[in-house]
Amino acid sequence: IRYNVLRWTSSPNPPFGGYGPSFVNPRTGQILGADIMLEYVYFTNRVKYEQLFDVKGASGLLANKYSCQAGAYLHQANLFGITAMNTLDGFDQLEQRRMIYEGLVKLTLHEIGHTLGLTHNFYASQLHNLKVIHERNTTEVIGLTASVMDYVGANVKPGHHGQFYSTIPGAYDKWVIQFGYTPSLHDLINEEERVKKLLSRSTQPKLGYGNDADDMRSPGKGIDPRVMIYDMTNDPMGYAQERMEMVKTLYKNLRQKYEREDQSYHALADAFYILNREYSTAAGVISRYIGGIYMDRSMVGQEGREVPFRPVPEDQQRWAMTLLNKYIFSPDAFSVSEDLYIYLQWERRGFSGTK
Ligand SMILES: [Zn+2]
């Protein structure tokens, strides 16, 4: 095998955003060839309509629960990032290109991770606090997340110019690769000692882990709110609240930014629903803390372990309810200015009808 390639595909109905097919020597498991496929549409601002209305946990995601949805989530994240940057002041075209570039690197790293045997790690977004997450001097060195195997949103914040996506493997990735790929020592006792030492590090916060078996992406699934897709920082509720505030601000300028003379209102409607989806995703992250239970799967006697099950502290659960009351259940939670709703009109395409 002389070449391992990144391949662009552009399919009418793309089944994936990116994936990493590989084949191995059946006798040794050695990877003989591996490529990364990247689907064009996931890096455009073209909207896949079925996704805008995809209720989290609806059939699509459950049916695919053992496959990689990183491309689809990256697409959602890119759409939000582009819409936000189009609407906010202070972000130019170059910044949008940087986001697409970082997204490509992130997705490629993620797919290579699968090829090398890594599963998802949805805990990895707990790495930084709300401030450091926007400081590129730190994140470019150690990543936005402790693993590229998480599904994350675009890290956009008004007035901040940090990284949108991780562009290097994180501490967790390196640790797992070390476990899987360091050649064994010849002496059995030394080898046992080496592996034991490596594994004993699992209680370090930056090596925290939770995959598809434990994640809370859909209601009724999982119990630990930290093992969640599309959340960010060690204060996911705070990050989600910032996101919802940003969306509320963006609504105000949406008509001004998206209405074009002699054009339909299609782009405006798209932009609104992209933002609305992001708002609902943020609410989902917050909701998981109510009744949530922190899990620890460390072994008996391991240094730094917690008890296996620990309820989320009561004040945090109450805070989650307070946020949901304000942003979802209060009478003015969706009080977008009236003259926005009446313009949310898509073009008729084929027999799609009035919506
Ligand atoms: Zn994946």
Side-chain angles (χ1 to χ4, degrees):
I1 310 301
R2 297 184 58 189
Y3 301 108
N4 298 292
V5 300
L6 302 181
R7 180 176 301 166
W8 273 114
T9 52
S10 185
S11 323
N13 292 304
F16 55 82
Y19 86 123
S22 63
F23 59 99
V24 300
N25 181 334
R27 288 172 301 183
T28 62
Q30 183 188 5
I31 299 170
L32 297 174
D35 307 292
I36 304 293
M37 313 267 283
L38 297 159
E39 186 65 47
Y40 173 67
V41 73
Y42 287 94
F43 295 93
T44 65
N45 56 358
R46 259 178 265 162
V47 174
K48 292 187 83 200
Y49 289 97
E50 68 270 26
Q51 287 181 2
L52 280 181
F53 299 102
D54 185 22
V55 179
K56 307 294 164 299
S59 54
L61 286 180
L62 284 183
N64 286 318
K65 71 177 179 177
Y66 298 119
S67 69
C68 179
Q69 303 282 308
Y73 282 103
L74 181 70
H75 189 217
Q76 180 188 335
N78 280 341
L79 287 173
F80 172 74
I82 289 168
T83 308
M85 281 191 270
N86 278 340
T87 317
L88 288 166
D89 292 327
F91 288 96
D92 56 20
Q93 286 283 322
L94 268 180
E95 212 96 27
Q96 292 194 18
R97 291 181 74 90
R98 182 165 66 81
M99 184 186 73
I100 299 294
Y101 167 77
E102 290 180 2
L104 263 173
V105 174
K106 160 71 171 51
L107 183 58
T108 305
L109 287 170
H110 181 106
E111 301 308 333
I112 290 175
H114 282 314
T115 302
L116 295 177
L118 273 64
T119 69
H120 293 136
N121 182 0
F122 300 125
Y123 185 95
S125 50
Q126 291 272 325
L127 184 64
H128 296 300
N129 63 31
L130 283 177
K131 188 166 169 285
V132 174
I133 197 79
H134 300 290
E135 293 174 359
R136 58 169 56 246
N137 289 345
T138 302
T139 63
E140 278 174 355
V141 182
I142 62 171
L144 279 171
T145 51
S147 169
V148 292
M149 304 311 290
D150 206 333
Y151 294 169
V152 292
N155 185 41
V156 187
K157 189 181 181 184
H160 280 251
H161 296 267
Q163 284 196 291
F164 298 105
Y165 301 108
S166 260
T167 48
I168 54 162
Y172 167 83
D173 303 318
K174 291 174 188 166
W175 178 61
V176 172
I177 295 293
Q178 205 182 342
F179 175 75
Y181 287 86
T182 306
S184 307
L185 298 173
H186 287 299
D187 184 277
L188 280 181
I189 295 170
N190 288 347
E191 172 62 5
E192 202 180 328
E193 194 53 38
R194 181 187 74 83
V195 172
K196 200 177 164 189
K197 203 171 158 194
L198 195 61
L199 294 180
S200 71
R201 294 175 57 200
S202 74
T203 49
Q204 293 178 9
K206 64 184 177 188
L207 303 182
Y209 175 73
N211 73 0
D212 306 56
D214 287 327
D215 78 64
M216 292 193 81
R217 77 178 73 181
S218 40
K221 183 177 177 306
I223 56 173
D224 188 332
R226 301 168 303 180
V227 187
M228 179 63 177
I229 62 171
Y230 229 78
D231 61 337
M232 202 49 142
T233 79
N234 57 13
D235 180 5
M237 285 198 283
Y239 194 89
Q241 187 187 5
E242 283 185 5
R243 200 39 72 111
M244 292 164 113
E245 283 295 334
M246 188 189 340
V247 168
K248 278 173 173 284
T249 313
L250 294 174
Y251 284 152
K252 288 179 193 151
N253 297 325
L254 219 51
R255 277 190 63 201
Q256 190 203 336
K257 297 282 183 180
Y258 278 88
E259 283 184 9
R260 294 275 177 280
E261 198 75 13
D262 295 330
Q263 300 285 316
S264 73
Y265 293 99
H266 200 95
L268 173 69
D270 273 357
F272 175 83
Y273 287 114
I274 287 166
L275 295 182
N276 194 51
R277 184 184 160 118
E278 194 76 12
Y279 193 90
S280 115
T281 303
V285 168
I286 294 169
S287 73
R288 303 307 193 257
Y289 282 81
I290 300 166
I293 294 172
Y294 294 146
M295 276 200 310
D296 192 311
R297 291 190 181 279
S298 303
M299 300 291 128
V300 175
Q302 212 180 326
E303 202 178 316
R305 74 181 166 85
E306 291 282 353
V307 293
F309 298 110
R310 224 165 10 118
V312 171
E314 186 184 337
D315 60 334
Q316 280 205 51
Q317 297 201 37
R318 288 190 181 279
W319 180 238
M321 201 63 228
T322 305
L323 290 175
L324 292 183
N325 275 335
K326 177 174 176 197
Y327 289 95
I328 300 290
F329 302 126
S330 75
D332 60 351
F334 294 92
S335 62
V336 177
S337 73
E338 236 175 70
D339 59 356
L340 184 56
Y341 286 131
I342 55 175
Y343 288 93
L344 300 179
Q345 185 185 51
W346 276 326
E347 287 172 18
R348 178 189 58 73
R349 291 183 179 168
F351 291 88
S352 58
T354 305
K355 280 179 186 159

